[in-house]
Amino acid sequence: MPITAEKMSRYPGGSIYSKVWRCFRAFILFRAGNRCEGTPDRPGCRARNGAAHPETGSKVVLTIAHMDHDESHADPERCRALCQLCHNRWDAAHRRRNQANTWRGKYAAADFISELCE
């Protein structure tokens, strides 16, 4: 999923292309042994970066996940290297909440009308 410019600016160094972020990413990948570190829901995932994913068969591209969904820090204790499957599953509930909040903001009148009709 592409990162918006507003979100990009929250990353340490101001971008995922900054030296600060690239060094942090390299450290996390090194710590993880270039494998997925898994999530509390999927602790056993150890998909290897660049290889075929054992479950999906797609090429694994490890990403750095902020486990607390706060992109403004570079805290190794709160970040993990995750494969696409783990990262998308970990972020799914957070994305749904954001989507619902965005929808409510855009369509507040529709919410109001639907509440009146109940």
Side-chain angles (χ1 to χ4, degrees):
M1 173 176 276
I3 301 172
T4 64
E6 185 269 325
K7 231 181 191 186
M8 178 88 72
S9 68
R10 288 189 234 155
Y11 278 78
S15 167
I16 61 170
Y17 304 108
S18 72
K19 186 175 182 178
V20 173
W21 181 253
R22 284 185 290 131
C23 289
F24 179 71
R25 175 182 163 72
F27 170 75
I28 296 295
L29 292 176
F30 176 77
R31 177 189 74 188
N34 218 23
R35 290 179 173 265
C36 179
E37 293 182 282
T39 65
D41 301 336
R42 297 177 45 80
C45 184
R46 293 292 175 257
R48 181 179 291 282
N49 198 24
H53 194 283
E55 290 179 46
T56 66
S58 63
K59 182 180 177 182
V60 173
V61 177
L62 291 179
T63 58
I64 306 305
H66 290 85
M67 300 305 283
D68 57 4
H69 304 291
D70 178 5
E71 300 89 2
S72 66
H73 66 77
D75 181 355
E77 297 295 317
R78 296 167 30 200
C79 291
R80 290 186 186 180
L82 296 181
C83 66
Q84 302 98 303
L85 183 62
C86 287
H87 201 157
N88 283 326
R89 287 185 179 174
W90 181 253
D91 283 351
H94 179 69
R95 288 182 187 143
R96 280 193 299 273
R97 281 191 302 274
N98 285 345
Q99 183 180 31
N101 290 337
T102 299
W103 190 88
R104 280 189 204 97
K106 286 183 179 179
Y107 304 105
D111 266 356
F112 177 70
I113 291 168
S114 67
E115 287 177 19
L116 288 176
C117 295
E118 289 179 352

